[in-house]
Amino acid sequence: MTYLVLIPLLMPFLAAPAACRVAAVLPPRHAARLLTAAALILAVSSSAALVLLVVPGASYLPAVAVLGELAQPLTAGPPPVTIALALVAGALLVWRTAVLTAAARRDRAELRRARTVTGGTDGELAVVRDDRPDAYALPGRPGRIVVTTGMLRALEPPEREALFAHERAHLRGRHHVLLVVVELAALCHPALRALREPLGYALERAADEAAAAAVGDRRLAARAIGRAALAARGGPGLPGSVRPRTVLAATAGPVPRRVAALLGTGAIGRPTLTPRTRRLVAGAVLVCLTLSGVSAVGAANDLHTHIEIAQGENPGR
């Protein structure tokens, strides 16, 4: 079991870069789904692996042995090694739980504070009096497009419509859910942090395309995004800097690359892969995700067998 359980812990270091390469050449919506699925599978598998490392070491504790009706400790290897691995894995799980809990509380507080600012607004659009240009999609029930008076003054009426269409696409696509999943997954394993930036870009590109389709003019959408980003460069944010960290905004990410993609003038900084290389990398990602999940399940099955043996049962029954 020890060797199987190490695979989900090491696999993110290989799978995350491969997923980023594949996502870079996929349509934005497909790229976002791939990155989110990869982050979720790898985070769950690695967390399960830590739990599976804790259980054998914990079986040496009398209270755990009595609770599990174990006649002997689980035979997962030499006792000193098993106990040491359990202690390390347990410490990592406690740390992960604390970090995830703190992040969830912080995000919920930021969203609540932002909704308080726009609480008296009826309808989809919430205009906040602030000279600093800013606009973003605020999730919730109902979801709102938050825009400052500074941003409204920075754009022409047609550009405002394109900007609103962009933020509306974030709300309709529930892009914030994908972003939160990857943000939390990145707290579970350091290698998964590499997925955050590509996901943000994919979500913004998906909203860019939706905005261009809504206004029927790709050049208008590109101009609106470019002008909004230039206006917000001086210091975006609502009064008291209440923009939540987990919301999506049209001014985020590599704007020149996004504008170039809308205008069809080439993808600035976009990696190029031949079709054959693309298939190979995509296959590698699929193999990595499958191997990570299968290894975690296999390790769990091995642990179950060890538990039955330690309980004096016949695992073949």
Side-chain angles (χ1 to χ4, degrees), residues 1-296:
M1 185 197 76
T2 303
Y3 298 106
L4 274 179
V5 85
L6 292 178
I7 293 176
L9 296 174
L10 298 176
M11 193 56 67
F13 292 104
L14 177 63
C20 291
R21 292 293 302 275
V22 176
V25 294
L26 288 178
R29 290 178 60 187
H30 295 164
R33 291 171 182 172
L34 168 67
L35 293 168
T36 305
L40 184 60
I41 292 172
L42 294 171
V44 171
S45 298
S46 63
S47 298
L50 290 178
V51 174
L52 294 174
L53 283 173
V54 169
V55 175
S59 69
Y60 286 89
L61 297 174
V64 175
V66 172
L67 184 63
E69 300 179 351
L70 303 177
Q72 59 184 12
L74 301 180
T75 56
V81 175
T82 301
I83 295 173
L85 287 175
L87 289 173
V88 173
L92 287 175
L93 282 173
V94 170
W95 176 78
R96 276 189 185 185
T97 302
V99 170
L100 287 172
T101 301
R105 289 179 176 175
R106 180 202 66 204
D107 294 342
R108 186 166 59 249
E110 290 180 353
L111 287 171
R112 189 183 303 117
R113 186 164 63 249
R115 291 196 67 81
T116 300
V117 174
T118 62
T121 303
D122 293 328
E124 179 187 54
L125 184 63
V127 179
V128 178
R129 293 186 178 276
D130 191 337
D131 291 335
R132 291 170 292 183
D134 195 17
Y136 61 82
L138 180 63
R141 297 182 179 177
R144 290 195 175 98
I145 299 170
V146 183
V147 62
T148 65
T149 52
M151 181 62 80
L152 292 177
R153 286 195 297 267
L155 303 178
E156 299 295 332
E159 295 167 346
R160 296 174 193 166
E161 291 304 317
L163 180 67
F164 297 158
H166 176 101
E167 305 301 352
R168 190 175 297 115
H170 283 318
L171 293 175
R172 289 180 177 174
R174 299 184 63 81
H175 291 169
H176 66 282
V177 175
L178 305 184
L179 186 64
V180 168
V181 168
V182 174
E183 287 286 346
L184 294 180
L187 297 176
C188 292
H189 197 289
L192 301 182
R193 297 171 188 169
L195 301 179
R196 292 185 296 189
E197 184 177 345
L199 175 69
Y201 174 74
L203 293 176
E204 294 302 336
R205 281 286 299 119
D208 290 345
E209 293 296 330
V215 299
D217 188 340
R218 298 180 69 83
R219 295 186 65 84
L220 172 60
R223 187 169 69 249
I225 292 166
R227 290 191 65 180
L230 287 174
R233 182 183 296 178
L238 294 178
S241 299
V242 299
R243 182 206 279 189
R245 300 179 220 192
T246 54
V247 301
L248 292 151
T251 57
V255 175
R257 183 177 165 194
R258 290 167 50 202
V259 170
L262 277 173
L263 296 178
T265 57
I268 299 175
R270 180 172 179 170
T272 57
L273 295 177
T274 64
R276 183 174 182 273
T277 304
R278 190 181 308 177
R279 288 192 296 270
L280 288 174
V281 178
V285 173
L286 182 60
V287 169
C288 289
L289 297 181
T290 302
L291 187 59
S292 183
V294 169
S295 298

